[in-house]
């Protein structure tokens, strides 16, 4: 008799593919993206060398003049608001992903006055952060309009669109537009900030509220007009938008003059000269300290730490 045939072990899969298949897909995809990026740079640089595109860049350099009386620079409250927003957003994304992927929650939270409002501890944390984020956002918008800073993030001219196209072409060509956010954002930045503050943030709030137990479940007509399926279909892509915005924002902050940009937002220091404060590390160290705080909060956001806090507002129970 021959030796028994031993079946080969099935390779471990992550989703539909094995680890080796995922690695191959990442390598092939990365090469494809780099090739496409290289061709885009070459093509755009060629186009910008032609007379029509050179004239276009001269007419629309990437930004337009702000209205008369627009503030220059960043007040200190804006730096604090920026930190609180980043702090809350990072934890909101973390807790939101945990809620989305958690199969069997380890702990639950129940409000004292509503025994039927039992939710997982992760969901309680996520929604509590949402409330703090909304309060911070309302304060931010009020200060934005009270101080005139709104003129820096809300387009005030139709020239924003051709200037945005000009800035995009300059970014793709790797001959990036001159950056000095202390004085004025380029039009791509302005559109991105406007979209984030006045479109994505309200969408996240409205869709998130629809999925909470605070939503009036007995309002049948309202629920028909705004079904929970719509909220779920929009809420997660909105979170992905925030992740993409944060990634691109951080990359450009460091790629277009890290020390200068960090001084603007974290140390409230700047100048009309885009090369000023290039050797000042104040903003960097404040930024570094803020990242340590955020990392510490990320690590601390565990049931052992969250449960005592949650008990101040309700009852915490095990699975």
């Amino acid at each position: 008799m021959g030796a028994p045939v031993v079946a080969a072990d099935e390779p471990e899969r992550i989703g539909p593919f094995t680890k080796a298949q995922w690695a191959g897909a990442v390598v092939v995809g990365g090469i494809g993206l780099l090739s496409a990026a290289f061709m885009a740079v070459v093509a755009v640089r060629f186009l910008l060398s032609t007379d029509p595109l050179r004239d276009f860049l001269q007419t629309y350099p990437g930004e337009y003049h702000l209205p008369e009386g627009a503030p220059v620079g960043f007040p200190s409250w804006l730096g604090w608001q920026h930190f609180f927003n980043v702090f809350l957003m990072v934890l909101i994304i973390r807790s939101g992903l945990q809620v989305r992927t958690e199969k069997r929650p380890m702990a639950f939270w129940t409000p004292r006055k509503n025994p039927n409002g039992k939710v997982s501890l992760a969901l309680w944390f996520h929604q509590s952060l949402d409330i703090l984020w909304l309060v911070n956002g309302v304060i931010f918008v009020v200060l934005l309009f009270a101080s005139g800073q709104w003129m820096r993030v809300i387009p005030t001219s139709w020239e924003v669109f051709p200037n945005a196209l000009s800035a995009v072409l300059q970014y793709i060509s790797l001959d990036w537009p001159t950056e000095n956010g202390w004085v004025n954002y380029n039009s791509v930045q302005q559109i991105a900030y406007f979209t984030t503050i006045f479109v994505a943030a309200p969408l996240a709030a409205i869709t998130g509220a629809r999925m909470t137990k605070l939503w009036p479940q007995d309002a049948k007509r309202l629920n028909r007009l705004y079904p929970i399926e719509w909220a779920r279909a929009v809420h997660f892509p909105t979170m992905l938008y925030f992740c993409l915005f944060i990634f691109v924002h951080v990359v450009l902050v460091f790629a277009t003059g890290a020390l200068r940009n960090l001084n603007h937002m974290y140390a409230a220091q700047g100048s009309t000269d885009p090369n000023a404060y290039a050797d000042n590390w104040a903003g960097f160290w404040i930024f570094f300290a803020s990242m340590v705080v955020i990392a510490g909060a990320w690590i601390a956001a565990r049931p052992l730490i969250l449960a005592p806090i949650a008990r101040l507002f309700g009852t915490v129970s095990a699975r």
Side-chain angles (χ1 to χ4, degrees):
M1 295 179 61
V5 178
V6 179
D9 291 337
E10 180 71 18
E12 182 181 354
R13 291 180 176 271
I14 303 175
F17 304 120
T18 65
K19 292 181 179 180
Q21 290 171 333
W22 276 115
V26 169
V27 171
V28 173
I31 293 173
L33 287 174
L34 288 175
S35 300
F38 174 77
M39 289 187 289
V41 171
V42 172
V44 171
R45 290 182 73 90
F46 168 75
L47 290 173
L48 293 181
S49 68
T50 63
D51 290 337
L53 267 295
R54 277 201 296 262
D55 293 341
F56 177 76
L57 291 187
Q58 288 181 351
T59 304
Y60 302 105
E63 65 181 30
Y64 62 92
H65 294 295
L66 295 179
E68 186 176 352
V72 174
F74 299 108
S76 57
W77 65 261
L78 193 58
W80 282 103
Q81 283 284 319
H82 187 264
F83 163 71
F84 287 137
N85 188 60
V86 174
F87 178 85
L88 293 171
M89 280 300 305
V90 168
L91 294 180
I92 285 171
I93 291 171
R94 179 194 189 279
S95 59
L97 289 173
Q98 183 179 357
V99 169
R100 187 177 178 87
T101 58
E102 196 173 45
K103 301 298 183 182
R104 301 179 64 189
M106 299 298 295
F108 293 88
W109 177 84
T110 306
R112 293 190 180 93
K113 296 183 180 180
N114 181 17
N116 296 323
K118 184 176 181 180
V119 297
S120 70
L121 186 62
L123 182 57
W124 170 83
F125 183 49
H126 182 70
Q127 293 178 349
S128 299
L129 291 169
D130 288 340
I131 293 172
L132 295 175
W133 181 66
L134 286 173
V135 172
N136 186 63
V138 169
I139 294 173
F140 171 74
V141 171
V142 169
L143 291 174
L144 202 66
F145 283 96
S147 64
Q149 289 284 336
W150 67 269
M151 287 181 276
R152 296 164 59 88
V153 295
I154 297 179
T156 56
S157 170
W158 291 109
E159 291 184 8
V160 69
F161 294 110
N163 275 294
L165 175 59
S166 171
V168 167
L169 292 173
Q170 292 176 67
Y171 278 124
I172 295 174
S173 72
L174 302 182
D175 185 15
W176 290 3
T178 302
E179 297 284 350
N180 188 13
W182 188 258
V183 177
N184 191 7
Y185 293 128
N186 69 49
S187 292
V188 171
Q189 291 174 305
Q190 190 178 58
I191 291 174
Y193 294 144
F194 172 81
T195 302
T196 302
I197 297 168
F198 297 103
V199 179
L203 268 180
I206 294 169
T207 55
R210 177 63 181 90
M211 294 185 288
T212 68
K213 291 184 178 294
L214 297 176
W215 185 267
Q217 304 299 322
D218 297 330
K220 295 182 179 179
R221 185 176 181 182
L222 178 61
N223 290 335
R224 282 198 305 270
L225 292 173
Y226 184 22
I228 193 170
E229 292 77 14
W230 289 7
R232 287 172 178 160
V234 173
H235 195 69
F236 184 67
T238 303
M239 187 211 71
L240 294 180
Y241 167 81
F242 276 109
C243 291
L244 177 63
F245 172 82
I246 292 170
F247 174 76
V248 174
H249 179 62
V250 171
V251 168
L252 290 180
V253 163
F254 280 88
T256 59
L259 294 182
R260 184 192 65 223
N261 292 331
L262 292 175
N263 275 331
H264 291 173
M265 287 308 304
Y266 285 90
Q269 297 179 3
S271 169
T272 55
D273 179 1
N275 295 315
Y277 293 96
D279 58 350
N280 185 338
W281 288 76
F284 172 83
W285 289 118
I286 297 174
F287 164 76
F288 179 80
S290 73
M291 290 299 103
V292 172
V293 172
I294 292 172
W298 180 288
I299 296 170
R302 302 175 183 277
L304 182 65
I305 305 296
L306 296 178
I309 301 173
R311 288 193 186 99
L312 298 175
F313 307 96
T315 303
V316 177
S317 59
R319 184 171 60 201

